[in-house]
Amino acid sequence: MKISHLGFGASSLGSVFHETKLNESIEAVEVAIEGGINFIDVSPYYGYYKAETVLGQALKNIPRDKYFLSTKVGRYGEDGHNTWDYSAERVTRSVYESMERLGIDFIDLINVHDIEFQAALPGGLQKVVDETLPALFALKKKGLVGHVGITDLQLKNLKWVVEKSKDVESILNFCHFCLCDDALADELDFFEQHGVGVINASPLSMGLLSQRGVPAWHPAPKPLVEACTRAAAFCTEKGYPIERLAMQYSVSNPRIASTLFSSANPQNVKRNIQWANEEPDWQLVQQVKEIIGDQQRVTWSNT
C-alpha cells in the first residue's frame, strides 16, 4: 500500500473524546480525502461499533479507489463495558461484521487490536501468534483482507510478536513518536530488518500535547501530565499552539509510513493537513523536550 504520510484515525467518529454530530463526522472524512489523505483507520471498539457505522455512512460517498482502509479485531465493547476476545472464531466473525458496518467487501489492512490485553489472558501473546494471526491470514488467502498487522502501546509486545510470527506485515504504535515520547524511533531498525511497515498514531498523545488537556480516562502518570501542561503553556506564550508543533513533529520522520490523527471536526481536519505540510520550529521542539525532560521515557499502560 502506498499510503499518505498523514492518515485519518476514525476513533473520534465514535464520540470517544466527546459527543459528535453525524453530519460533521461525515464531512470530516470527506475533507480528509479531498486534502490528500488516502489512509483511514478504525476499530469496532471505538464508540462500541459507532465509529465503524458512522465511517460506513461517510464512505458511501467516496469511490473505493480513493482510500486504503484499516480496521481491527480483538477488542470490543458492549453496554459500556470493555471486552476482549482474540480467538480464531471471534476475530474471523469480527472481520465480516466490520465489513457489513463499513459497507465494503475488502479490508486493506486488518490489525490485531492492543495485543497487550491478550498478554493478560489465557495463552498470553503466544495465542496471537498461534491462533489470532493464522485466522486473519486465512482470510487474506480468501481475498477478504489485503494485509495483516498488529497494534499496541507497548513496543516490547509488538517486537515479541513480530519475532515469533515472522508473518506480521505492519505494526501500529501510538504515543511513541510525539513531542513527549519518541521511543518508536529507537525501534525503526528492528522493524525495517523484519520487513514490517510502521504506522504511528496519536501525535497529540491522546490529549497530553494539547491546550485542552487530557481526558479523565488518560492513563499517563501525573508528573508527565503536569510536564506536558507546562509545555503547552510555554508554546501558547510563544504564539505557537502545541497542537501545531506536535503534528509537525510527528510527521517529520520519513521512515514512518503514516501518522494517524483523529478529529470529527472538518475545520480541524483542514488545519491538521495544513500543519502537517509545514516544517516545525526545531528550536521550539528542543525547548519543549527540555521542559518535559525525564518524563519523555516514562512507561505507562493502556486502559
Side-chain angles (χ1 to χ4, degrees):
M1 300 188 298
K2 301 294 185 182
I3 61 177
S4 52
H5 203 43
L6 186 65
F8 182 82
S11 58
S12 290
L13 306 188
S15 300
V16 171
F17 302 102
H18 55 81
E19 196 59 37
T20 53
K21 298 178 180 179
L22 177 60
N23 63 324
E24 289 186 354
S25 295
I26 291 175
E27 185 182 353
V29 178
E30 295 172 344
V31 167
I33 298 296
E34 291 168 1
I37 292 175
N38 75 345
F39 181 54
I40 303 173
D41 176 78
V42 70
S43 168
Y45 170 68
Y46 300 146
Y48 302 153
Y49 312 114
K50 179 180 177 180
E52 283 192 330
T53 301
V54 173
L55 180 59
Q57 294 184 56
L59 294 178
K60 290 178 182 178
N61 304 320
I62 302 171
R64 187 61 179 88
D65 63 356
K66 293 291 186 181
Y67 61 89
F68 294 105
L69 181 63
S70 164
T71 191
K72 306 180 183 75
V73 299
R75 189 175 188 184
Y76 311 98
E78 299 285 354
D79 301 322
H81 299 285
N82 293 338
T83 61
W84 297 270
D85 190 339
Y86 298 85
S87 67
E89 185 280 329
R90 182 66 186 100
V91 301
T92 300
R93 179 159 47 92
S94 182
V95 169
Y96 286 97
E97 292 170 352
S98 289
M99 288 194 295
E100 183 174 353
R101 283 189 290 268
L102 292 163
I104 58 175
D105 57 11
F106 178 79
I107 296 172
D108 299 283
L109 171 63
I110 190 72
N111 283 302
V112 186
H113 197 176
D114 288 345
I115 58 175
E116 69 181 89
F117 290 104
Q118 175 54 45
L121 297 174
L125 287 178
Q126 192 65 47
K127 182 172 182 175
V128 174
V129 175
D130 294 340
E131 184 173 347
T132 315
L133 287 170
L136 298 179
F137 277 107
L139 294 176
K140 179 180 178 179
K141 289 182 179 179
K142 290 183 178 180
L144 295 175
V145 301
H147 302 279
V148 177
I150 53 177
T151 87
D152 202 16
L153 174 65
Q154 307 298 338
L155 284 160
K156 64 179 181 180
N157 291 337
L158 295 170
K159 293 175 66 178
W160 191 91
V161 172
V162 165
E163 286 187 317
K164 298 294 183 180
S165 170
K166 309 297 184 184
D167 294 320
V168 171
E169 297 172 88
S170 71
I171 63 101
L172 191 164
N173 180 243
F174 53 102
C175 300
H176 280 133
F177 192 77
C178 54
L179 284 173
C180 60
D181 189 329
D182 59 4
L184 176 59
D186 295 340
E187 309 298 344
L188 293 177
D189 285 346
F190 171 87
F191 292 121
E192 289 173 358
Q193 290 165 6
H194 287 79
V196 173
V198 176
I199 300 166
N200 179 37
S202 196
L204 304 189
S205 197
M206 300 191 298
L208 275 174
L209 301 168
S210 70
Q211 297 172 85
R212 182 166 57 185
V214 297
W217 50 260
H218 202 290
K222 185 177 180 180
L224 177 58
V225 174
E226 292 173 345
C228 290
T229 299
R230 292 194 299 272
F234 179 79
C235 288
T236 299
E237 292 174 4
K238 296 291 185 179
Y240 203 115
I242 195 169
E243 293 90 343
R244 178 184 179 187
L245 191 69
M247 182 65 64
Q248 293 166 344
Y249 179 79
S250 286
V251 300
S252 66
N253 194 319
R255 299 171 70 188
I256 295 174
S258 189
T259 293
L260 295 162
F261 77 95
S262 185
S263 177
N265 183 314
Q267 296 307 313
N268 286 346
V269 173
K270 290 180 181 178
R271 183 193 62 190
N272 286 332
I273 292 172
Q274 177 183 336
W275 285 347
N277 287 320
E278 299 172 348
E279 185 75 10
D281 181 334
W282 289 108
Q283 181 179 359
L284 186 56
V285 167
Q286 185 59 38
Q287 291 172 322
V288 166
K289 284 181 169 290
E290 290 173 357
I291 291 171
I292 297 173
D294 293 340
Q295 297 299 321
Q296 292 179 61
R297 293 301 174 90
V298 172
T299 300
W300 40 285
S301 297
N302 201 357
T303 58

